[in-house]
Amino acid sequence: MRTPFPRLLLATLLTGISWSASATTINISLDNDPGKLDPTQSSMIAERMVYQSIFDKLLDLNEQGAIVPMLAERWTVSDDQKTYTLFLRKDVKFQDGTPFNARAVEFNLLRGQEKSSLRRNDLKTIRQITVVDDATVRIELSTPFAPFLSILTDRAGMMSSPEAVKKYGEDYVNNPVGTGPFIYKGRLKGASLTLDKNPNYWQAGLPKADQVVYKIMSDVNVAFNNLRSGQVDITNRFPYKELSNPLANAKYLVINKPSLGFRGFYFNTTRAPFDRKEVRQAIDLLINRDAIAKVVYNGAVAVGHSPFSKAHFANDATDIPPKPDLAKAKALLKSAGKEAGFSFRLTLPTTPEELQVGQMIQGMLRPAGITVSLEKAELAAQIEAGKAGTFDAVMIGWSGRPDPDQNIYDFTVSNGSLNYSHLANPELDAVLLQARVEGNEAKRKVLYSQVMQILVNEVPYVYLNHDNVLFGVSKAVTGFRFVPDGVIRTATLDK
């Protein structure tokens, strides 16, 4: 097993880095410990936070959520929307000194399509990749895919060093090498993860800081206290209860912005009683989302009933939750033969807020004779249970993506990589696919409305709300910019 020290020594020898006592370190608290440091294996927002520092992407988002150049300086799209030509920067090297070029793009996109990659559904429409020259790559799709440019702004568009991937093999997840502003130095599992400045970064004058340290603090109140004391500079979560209690002369700012994500819980549709949609519909009807938003989140969420927040063009009336209706819920349970009630286990994240949500759900379902037992689990364990189908119901949210496809397709299509409900509905699959290939936004909106009509009936997932992004940022930090995907960019941070 590799230890942080040899990694530090290696990085120092390679880069000539030698930090002085005045070196600037940006400390960022994360509420979850990142798992695998490989974008093809990632399924956690905490990992995306770290990736933004290590890996550049082919494209990025700006503060308005528009797609902008990054490693690709510009691009063209054919009239039939099946051929994308990317024109790459010529002045970029990976952190191990190997060149970034069209061959590297080909390598990464092909790797992302492999069966073991969690990006395979994002990239599966790629039919052929042609290296035109060192700085030009042509990507041909088997069918039009409307979200294609959007997915290149996230993990599917992150570039790993081909040489590092080949060198480390399966251990690449512990030895990530990108072209980003910071170089992976090492980690203490469950405690911290440290990155050093990339002295050869291609963006002139960046990064500003010498080092970024991610500190793992699952308790939001602990993170808040560390922000107040100056032990961390940015927190990726902020206590909801503190929003209405601003401190006099506080040395921090609160970033409180609507997110693109959603929060809720999956039913395991392969297990009784959730193999009956009437049972799922009944539970959906028993939940008072307004009460949860007020009591748990202090109003810093928008109640919801779909994966599309108001920031998405696909948002429609299906996002308005039904009013709780005990009589109707009981009738549905009776039709499913469950009028006497039943018990099930709801697996929750470990945060106090989610536990409180679980307790409120317990109370809301009790009048219908439904007994809910709560089980806390780390996110990684929840995800594994979701994949394996070894749960009754599991609460897993999503941080959200700009294109609506990325908020719904893998979650609901048959055998989708994030379809933990294990729902399989051919009619739904067909409409989801139509929405993917349709290039006209207005027509896509109509298709997503059809998708939601199916999901409102099937209820594989109970949508509760759309979170706000809540960051605590020390007033000593400069260069912070909020991007709607809710991921912290570190290249411009300083203090």
Side-chain angles (χ1 to χ4, degrees):
M1 181 178 180
R2 295 176 185 279
T3 61
F5 178 72
R7 183 84 193 190
L8 168 62
L9 182 58
L10 175 62
T12 303
L13 291 172
L14 286 174
T15 62
I17 299 168
S18 180
W19 305 132
S20 68
S22 60
T24 300
T25 297
I26 302 294
N27 295 290
I28 301 173
S29 71
L30 298 177
D31 59 330
N32 272 296
D33 194 14
K36 299 174 180 178
L37 300 180
D38 177 352
T40 69
Q41 302 300 314
S42 168
S43 55
M44 298 168 62
I45 180 67
E47 293 162 349
R48 294 173 65 213
M49 293 283 185
V50 176
Y51 294 163
Q52 293 291 332
S53 296
I54 301 174
F55 302 101
D56 286 326
K57 301 161 290 186
L58 292 171
L59 305 172
D60 200 4
L61 299 174
N62 64 13
E63 289 89 333
Q64 290 72 45
I67 296 173
V68 296
M70 199 172 201
L71 292 175
E73 290 184 302
R74 59 188 176 90
W75 59 90
T76 61
V77 185
S78 65
D79 290 341
D80 65 2
Q81 299 182 67
K82 293 170 66 175
T83 302
Y84 292 74
T85 303
L86 306 182
F87 301 92
L88 310 175
R89 297 193 63 86
K90 300 176 181 177
D91 54 349
V92 181
K93 288 189 175 181
F94 287 101
Q95 294 150 1
D96 58 5
T98 57
F100 166 76
N101 52 31
R103 289 287 179 198
V105 175
E106 178 188 39
F107 175 89
N108 276 276
L109 294 179
L110 290 175
R111 182 169 180 258
Q113 289 183 301
E114 293 175 356
K115 188 177 180 180
S116 60
S117 168
L118 295 182
R119 309 281 81 77
R120 63 186 183 277
N121 275 338
D122 292 341
L123 300 170
K124 70 179 182 182
T125 58
I126 294 178
R127 182 178 66 83
Q128 184 170 350
I129 304 168
T130 302
V131 175
V132 179
D133 57 41
D134 264 5
T136 310
V137 60
R138 184 169 61 242
I139 303 167
E140 296 175 56
L141 308 184
S142 57
T143 182
F145 180 43
F148 186 67
L149 290 177
S150 179
I151 67 167
L152 297 183
T153 69
D154 198 52
R155 290 168 291 192
M158 291 180 177
M159 296 290 106
S160 286
S161 161
E163 292 304 313
V165 171
K166 294 171 187 173
K167 176 181 177 181
Y168 292 109
E170 292 184 357
D171 201 32
Y172 180 71
V173 297
N174 296 312
N175 296 275
V177 178
T179 66
F182 292 93
I183 301 170
Y184 177 67
K185 176 178 174 182
R187 69 188 301 176
L188 293 173
K189 193 67 178 172
S192 65
L193 192 152
T194 302
L195 310 180
D196 278 342
K197 180 177 188 173
N198 178 358
N200 301 312
Y201 192 50
W202 57 273
Q203 293 201 56
L206 299 180
K208 294 289 188 182
D210 299 301
Q211 191 175 69
V212 173
V213 177
Y214 296 95
K215 298 183 176 181
I216 314 306
M217 298 180 183
S218 58
D219 187 326
V220 67
N221 295 304
V222 172
F224 175 60
N225 287 333
N226 276 267
L227 176 67
R228 292 177 61 188
S229 68
Q231 297 302 304
V232 300
D233 302 299
I234 301 176
T235 61
N236 79 319
R237 295 182 68 225
F238 193 85
Y240 294 103
K241 63 182 175 60
E242 300 294 341
L243 292 173
S244 52
N245 298 302
L247 297 175
N249 302 316
K251 296 180 180 179
Y252 58 85
L253 303 170
V254 181
I255 307 297
N256 185 357
K257 300 280 189 180
S259 80
L260 298 167
F262 56 85
R263 189 186 298 271
F265 59 91
Y266 291 90
F267 292 117
N268 185 345
T269 65
T270 67
R271 277 188 180 182
F274 298 130
D275 55 344
R276 295 293 301 267
K277 69 180 179 183
E278 294 86 352
V279 175
R280 306 192 298 264
Q281 291 169 343
I283 290 179
D284 191 46
L285 273 173
L286 290 168
I287 294 177
N288 186 335
R289 294 161 175 82
D290 287 316
I292 291 173
K294 181 178 180 181
V295 173
V296 180
Y297 299 113
N298 202 10
V301 297
V303 296
H305 198 237
S306 86
F308 308 130
S309 76
K310 291 184 178 177
H312 288 108
F313 71 78
N315 179 270
D316 69 5
T318 59
D319 196 40
I320 301 173
K323 291 184 178 179
D325 190 332
L326 178 60
K328 188 174 181 181
K330 285 186 172 180
L332 286 165
L333 292 173
K334 184 176 181 179
S335 69
K338 292 294 179 183
E339 62 269 33
F342 60 92
S343 301
F344 75 94
R345 181 185 61 193
L346 175 60
T347 306
L348 303 162
T350 57
T351 65
E353 290 82 10
E354 272 72 25
L355 177 59
Q356 192 176 7
V357 171
Q359 292 167 339
M360 291 186 73
I361 291 173
Q362 278 181 319
M364 293 170 184
L365 270 56
R366 192 173 297 120
I370 301 173
T371 301
V372 184
S373 60
L374 304 180
E375 176 186 76
K376 294 196 290 184
E378 297 293 339
L379 180 58
Q382 287 183 288
I383 290 171
E384 289 306 313
K387 291 177 182 176
T390 54
F391 68 97
D392 295 332
V394 60
M395 184 179 289
I396 301 177
W398 181 244
S399 53
R401 302 292 184 275
D403 192 283
D405 176 271
Q406 305 299 292
N407 268 28
I408 195 167
Y409 188 85
D410 280 338
F411 299 86
T412 55
V413 74
S414 299
N415 299 314
S417 61
L418 300 170
N419 182 356
Y420 302 146
S421 72
H422 302 276
L423 177 74
N425 183 316
E427 181 190 5
L428 174 64
D429 294 349
V431 186
L432 284 169
L433 184 58
Q434 288 180 58
R436 278 198 144 185
V437 303
E438 175 57 58
N440 181 281
E441 189 170 292
K443 292 180 179 178
R444 289 184 76 199
K445 181 178 173 65
V446 172
L447 291 167
Y448 283 123
S449 291
Q450 294 176 27
V451 166
M452 284 311 306
Q453 291 300 326
I454 296 171
L455 291 179
V456 165
N457 182 54
E458 289 279 6
V459 197
Y461 185 96
V462 173
Y463 297 99
L464 295 176
N465 56 58
H466 304 289
D467 282 350
N468 280 12
V469 176
L470 288 174
F471 295 148
V473 181
S474 166
K475 290 180 179 177
V477 171
T478 60
F480 179 86
R481 61 189 186 94
F482 178 78
V483 179
D485 62 9
V487 181
I488 298 168
R489 271 69 169 175
T490 54
T492 57
L493 297 179
D494 201 355
K495 64 180 183 181

